Amino acid sequence: MTNLSPLSVPYRAAQRSVSIVFALAFIAFSGGTALGGFVGALGGAALLGVVVLTIGGYELAYYRRFEYELTPDTLDIRSGVFSRRNREIPYRRIQNVDISRNVAQRLFGLAAVNLETAGGGETEGSLRFVTYEEARRIQKEVARLKRGDTEADASEPDQELLFELNPRELAIVGALSFDMRLPGLVFVFGSSIFPVVTSFVDVPIPTSGVVAATLGLVGFVLLVTAVSWATGFVSAVVNYYGFRLTRVGDELQYERGLLQRYNGSIPIDKLQTLTVEDNPLKRRFGYATLLVETAGYAPGAESSNGSGAAGRGSEAAIPLARRDRVYSLVEELEGVSKPTFERPPSRIRRRYAVRYSLALGAVTLALYGANTLLPQQIPWYLPLVLVPVAAVAGVYQWRHRGHALADDTFVTRNGFWKREIRFVPYYRVQTVIETRTIFQRRWRVSTVTADTAGSLSLVGGDAKAVDIEATAASDLRETLNDRLRASLVARREERRRARQAALGVGATDDPTLDDDRPTDSPTESADTDDSFIWGDAVVGPDEKDESSVEENSESDEEGLRDADPDSHSESDADR
Amino acid sequence: MNRLHPRIRLLWVARAVVFALVAGGVTGAGVVFAPISIPPLAPVAVAVTLLVVGVPYALLRYRAWGYEVRDDSLYLQRGVLTKVNTVVPFVRVQHVDSTRGPLERLVGLASTIVYTAGSRGADVAIPGLTPDGAEDLQDRLKRLAIRAEGDDAV
């Protein structure tokens, strides 16, 4: 059993106090002086002291009651001041191990460790805070124990630098980043104040006034744009400074950040999908973004880290790089680089053109309606000028669509303004869904979606082959299902052989060693074995439970034995 | 391809009727209490429209529904306006529920819900089974899923 770093007590206490103490100090002194000078101030100060002591005491108790341990097959965390919680996380279930350090934490040599499993919406294991060395040790140990190496001094797996963001790319990332918070704020504020302002300007304004107002408005918009661009630039540079992606054995490790350093690992076999994203500008200059998806993160969970890629799946995402570098990384990870896409049937170009034209027609109609209702004339026919553009847009939308069946991967491509190329390994497909809306039926086309367990998909980004020939769609549906099965069988076979090889080596050495080795899948005879346990599909035979995190909140003997009288109370006030 | 139990139509039609009546009632309340004047026939119009649309929709929905337990996967097809065909490989099945809601119990039916780790999770529900049928299906799916011997589920 290990404790957190002792320094975490003052750090946590300070972190917690700052806001409370400021608020209280303000209330105490302003209210105190109003009440009756010296006495009031004294009372306020006393209250402040009590609060600080309480927080300090609580954090000390938290520190003393927080223990974690790396056992041979689980990471155990026992925590809780009032209500106790014992949590055991099997190593094989752990998806990501993330370390983050902000400036203050780096000063104290502290680090926060987050462990993610596929289950649940929150971070399953969180250590606040341990020393940085300890954090790195946990990261390494988890990786090692997951591999099933039993010797503590197992040789370091080979490292390979996959990707490093160079300064030029960092500058471009910054230049392309806009912080949308300020414009959003301005918009909300402006739209609420606009009616008020306009109600004052009923009187006819001289032309010079209009010109001045317009100039002012333009200046204001420019200023807002400049400020949001500058903040976007700074935050992107701060976030992605020194971004490196390394392959360590069978894990991906990333590092990034200028002020707050992030450092994390993702097992490669937990990758769900890869997405290459670009827009016309990036395409023109040959750049692209790579998003890496694991099942570990809940959507939006990273936004608390203040990362630029908030809510965009995993942190290992590459913000921006030359296209060929992105594709070579994809090839490295998924074994596929430039698939040949099959576009939707060419008649679909007309469908998109018609769709855009209808949208234009709707806008025109709405404007016409407004024109008849409003006293002054508005050029309601203006959107019709764009009809030729609709045809062109239809062609472009068609051109940037497609799907491909590579050897091990299903690839889809969608979108013109934000083009996403999604790589889904067949063995990651969960369900296959084929849909046909009434409009699609008229054009005899369907959409085939390959659902995965990733988190990006929750915000609406499944791999979709949109508008493919209806007959081809049902074939694709079945093909995906077949390939899923085939690739699972192949993977199983591969692992079985790897294990046999390991056994062969191990048997000459020390046969007992292999018995505690966590195996990846059930025994070879399982194919025909009816006694096969339900749920083994999900966990190895050496784990007792199929849930990914075992947990028991308790006020049991452990709590009772402890001297702490608080442990009897069932209060949920912990944290 | 298996059809749902015909009695599910009763449930769906009843649901459409109740919805139409409630919507009509709300419109009626609007006629009485709302400050703006709503034509007094509006509630009837709303209810009738919803009935005319809802009841055939429920029937069409029944006609569109089908499912099949295949060797390696569960196959579903459904949808009136948007046709949806879903393939759920047994290797991906996490767990199988069979449920009976209060209304379902009233007409003596049950549903089976198949969960995968996919982001659409409980999307795969088969309504309109007899209670025995639902349990049988659950059992069958369970055994098939076990036999399929999944890999890592996520």
Side-chain angles (χ1 to χ4, degrees):
Chain A
M1 280 283 133
T2 324
N3 283 322
L4 299 172
S5 161
L7 272 177
S8 70
V9 179
Y11 183 80
R12 283 177 59 96
Q15 198 184 24
R16 200 180 281 263
S17 314
V18 167
S19 51
I20 300 176
V21 167
F22 267 117
L24 275 178
F26 181 73
I27 294 167
F29 288 109
S30 60
T33 41
L35 257 174
F38 183 67
V39 183
L42 202 68
L47 186 67
L48 207 66
V50 169
V51 167
V52 168
L53 277 180
T54 313
I55 292 172
Y58 176 81
E59 294 304 345
L60 187 65
Y62 180 89
Y63 164 73
R64 295 197 39 177
R65 305 280 284 152
F66 194 107
E67 291 175 316
Y68 63 91
E69 186 177 19
L70 294 152
T71 70
D73 38 42
T74 53
L75 171 74
D76 299 358
I77 300 176
R78 301 188 183 170
S79 63
V81 176
F82 297 113
S83 68
R84 296 282 289 162
R85 178 154 78 177
N86 282 8
R87 196 170 250 201
E88 295 176 11
I89 310 175
Y91 294 124
R92 286 192 43 238
R93 301 285 104 202
I94 293 176
Q95 302 257 354
N96 319 59
V97 183
D98 291 324
I99 301 171
S100 72
R101 297 177 295 152
N102 63 25
V103 181
Q105 288 159 8
R106 279 162 81 182
L107 215 63
F108 286 108
L110 292 175
V113 179
N114 283 335
L115 298 131
E116 307 273 353
T117 70
E122 54 173 59
T123 299
E124 280 77 14
S126 169
L127 307 178
R128 312 252 121 120
F129 297 88
V130 294
T131 59
Y132 182 55
E133 292 74 41
E134 174 67 4
R136 290 309 296 260
R137 189 187 75 88
I138 292 170
Q139 202 176 43
K140 278 212 189 87
E141 284 289 289
V142 167
R144 184 179 67 77
L145 290 162
K146 184 162 20 183
R147 276 198 305 277
D149 291 351
T150 33
E151 298 131 75
D153 58 351
S155 58
E156 281 280 298
D158 46 331
Q159 291 208 5
E160 182 195 353
L161 181 66
L162 291 178
F163 180 84
E164 197 168 19
L165 197 69
N166 58 39
R168 188 190 150 85
E169 284 163 342
L170 180 65
I172 297 174
V173 175
L176 292 180
S177 302
F178 281 87
D179 194 329
M180 293 312 282
R181 272 170 298 186
L182 183 65
L185 214 66
V186 167
F187 181 75
V188 169
F189 183 70
S191 56
S192 62
I193 204 115
F194 187 68
V196 184
V197 175
T198 43
S199 66
F200 282 112
V201 288
D202 265 346
V203 283
I205 328 164
T207 344
S208 62
V210 172
V211 170
T214 315
L215 277 180
L217 196 67
V218 168
F220 183 67
V221 167
L222 282 180
L223 184 74
V224 167
T225 313
V227 169
S228 59
W229 180 77
T231 45
F233 183 87
V234 170
S235 78
V237 168
V238 164
N239 265 322
Y240 288 112
Y241 177 83
F243 180 90
R244 283 163 63 89
L245 201 61
T246 2
R247 184 185 201 141
V248 183
D250 49 6
E251 285 197 328
L252 280 183
Q253 292 206 350
Y254 69 85
E255 263 175 69
R256 63 180 180 82
L258 179 66
L259 300 174
Q260 181 156 13
R261 287 296 285 177
Y262 296 96
N263 183 320
S265 66
I266 299 158
I268 287 174
D269 65 347
K270 299 284 185 196
L271 292 186
Q272 295 287 329
T273 61
L274 297 181
T275 305
V276 176
E277 197 185 279
D278 57 22
N279 56 36
L281 208 66
K282 288 184 193 169
R283 276 204 292 280
R284 170 72 186 74
F285 293 102
Y287 286 92
T289 299
L290 180 73
L291 302 171
V292 178
E293 191 176 0
T294 68
Y297 290 107
E302 320 54 65
S303 52
S304 56
N305 292 347
S307 110
R312 301 306 311 270
S314 166
E315 302 265 332
I318 290 182
L320 186 94
R322 304 259 355 151
R323 195 159 42 210
D324 46 337
R325 294 180 73 193
V326 170
Y327 278 116
S328 69
L329 187 58
V330 170
E331 187 166 15
E332 172 99 21
L333 294 175
E334 302 277 26
V336 57
S337 58
K338 296 240 169 161
T340 38
F341 286 101
E342 192 183 319
R343 294 204 177 105
S346 40
R347 62 172 184 277
I348 292 304
R349 283 177 293 191
R350 259 183 301 146
R351 177 177 179 218
Y352 297 149
V354 167
R355 194 198 272 166
Y356 286 124
S357 309
L358 284 178
L360 284 175
V363 172
T364 314
L365 212 63
L367 282 178
Y368 180 75
N371 187 43
T372 52
L373 291 178
L374 288 175
Q376 67 269 68
Q377 287 285 316
I378 47 174
W380 54 270
Y381 39 82
L382 217 58
L384 293 179
V385 178
L386 292 174
V387 166
V389 181
V392 177
V395 172
Y396 270 97
Q397 184 169 17
W398 171 80
R399 274 185 55 173
H400 288 281
R401 245 191 193 142
H403 73 278
L405 287 163
D407 291 343
D408 304 312
T409 320
F410 176 53
V411 193
T412 62
R413 180 178 65 177
N414 283 304
F416 170 75
W417 293 110
K418 192 177 116 189
R419 190 173 71 166
E420 292 182 322
I421 303 177
R422 215 169 280 272
F423 297 83
V424 184
Y426 294 127
Y427 62 86
R428 286 297 175 216
V429 173
Q430 289 280 341
T431 54
V432 185
I433 304 151
E434 178 198 350
T435 52
R436 273 163 295 150
T437 65
I438 31 174
F439 307 108
Q440 281 182 314
R441 265 177 281 161
R442 271 173 49 99
W443 291 89
R444 301 186 311 284
V445 290
S446 312
T447 296
V448 175
T449 309
D451 189 18
T452 61
S455 45
L456 276 180
S457 331
L458 284 171
V459 288
D462 283 314
K464 279 184 179 160
V466 182
D467 289 341
I468 60 177
E469 202 81 56
T471 47
S474 12
D475 284 350
L476 178 62
R477 190 184 72 212
E478 298 310 320
T479 311
L480 283 174
N481 183 33
D482 293 345
R483 295 224 179 162
L484 159 67
R485 288 213 311 150
S487 69
L488 283 180
V489 168
R491 275 169 69 83
R492 214 148 46 219
E493 182 66 19
E494 199 178 295
R495 269 208 299 257
R496 191 175 64 88
R497 240 181 279 125
R499 200 162 53 243
Q500 270 176 350
L503 259 165
V505 174
T508 57
D509 258 323
D510 179 8
T512 54
L513 196 118
D514 293 285
D515 291 336
D516 2 280
R517 191 170 289 226
T519 44
D520 260 356
S521 68
T523 48
E524 292 80 323
S525 60
D527 262 330
T528 47
D529 192 356
D530 268 342
S531 68
F532 193 79
I533 321 152
W534 168 240
D536 250 358
V538 186
V539 271
D542 45 329
E543 287 152 14
K544 359 172 212 318
D545 199 299
E546 63 174 295
S547 68
S548 64
V549 176
E550 276 172 47
E551 178 181 317
N552 39 353
S553 271
E554 45 163 9
S555 57
D556 62 353
E557 60 219 40
E558 161 95 18
L560 297 176
R561 245 190 289 114
D562 264 0
D564 192 343
D566 279 332
S567 63
H568 296 285
S569 106
E570 285 285 346
S571 152
D572 234 353
D574 185 26
R575 87 183 62 202
Chain B
M1 190 65 59
N2 299 304
R3 309 292 299 269
L4 303 183
H5 194 285
R7 225 180 298 149
I8 192 74
R9 286 178 296 184
L10 201 65
L11 195 66
W12 287 344
V13 168
R15 219 177 266 168
V17 170
V18 168
F19 180 71
L21 291 182
V22 168
V26 169
T27 324
V31 170
V32 179
F33 297 111
I36 48 166
S37 70
I38 300 172
L41 273 180
V44 180
V46 166
V48 167
T49 316
L50 285 175
L51 274 181
V52 166
V53 174
V55 172
Y57 185 85
L59 297 175
L60 285 174
R61 192 167 156 214
Y62 170 75
R63 279 185 44 183
W65 243 104
Y67 70 92
E68 199 173 13
V69 182
R70 302 195 295 198
D71 294 345
D72 58 346
S73 56
L74 175 67
Y75 175 74
L76 309 168
Q77 66 175 43
R78 61 202 187 282
V80 177
L81 292 178
T82 300
K83 299 260 178 225
V84 181
N85 301 356
T86 312
V87 179
V88 186
F90 291 135
V91 272
R92 289 314 194 204
V93 173
Q94 296 274 331
H95 59 278
V96 187
D97 278 359
S98 87
T99 65
R100 303 190 67 194
L103 284 176
E104 283 178 313
R105 271 200 301 242
L106 214 62
V107 290
L109 292 176
S111 322
T112 294
I113 305 172
V114 180
Y115 293 87
T116 67
S119 47
R120 291 162 188 241
D123 214 13
V124 190
I126 307 173
L129 301 165
T130 59
D132 287 346
E135 260 166 49
D136 275 359
L137 183 62
Q138 182 188 17
D139 204 51
R140 217 158 114 215
L141 289 177
K142 184 184 81 183
R143 266 185 284 113
L144 284 167
I146 294 166
R147 267 248 301 286
E149 190 208 336
D151 189 70
D152 224 354
V154 281

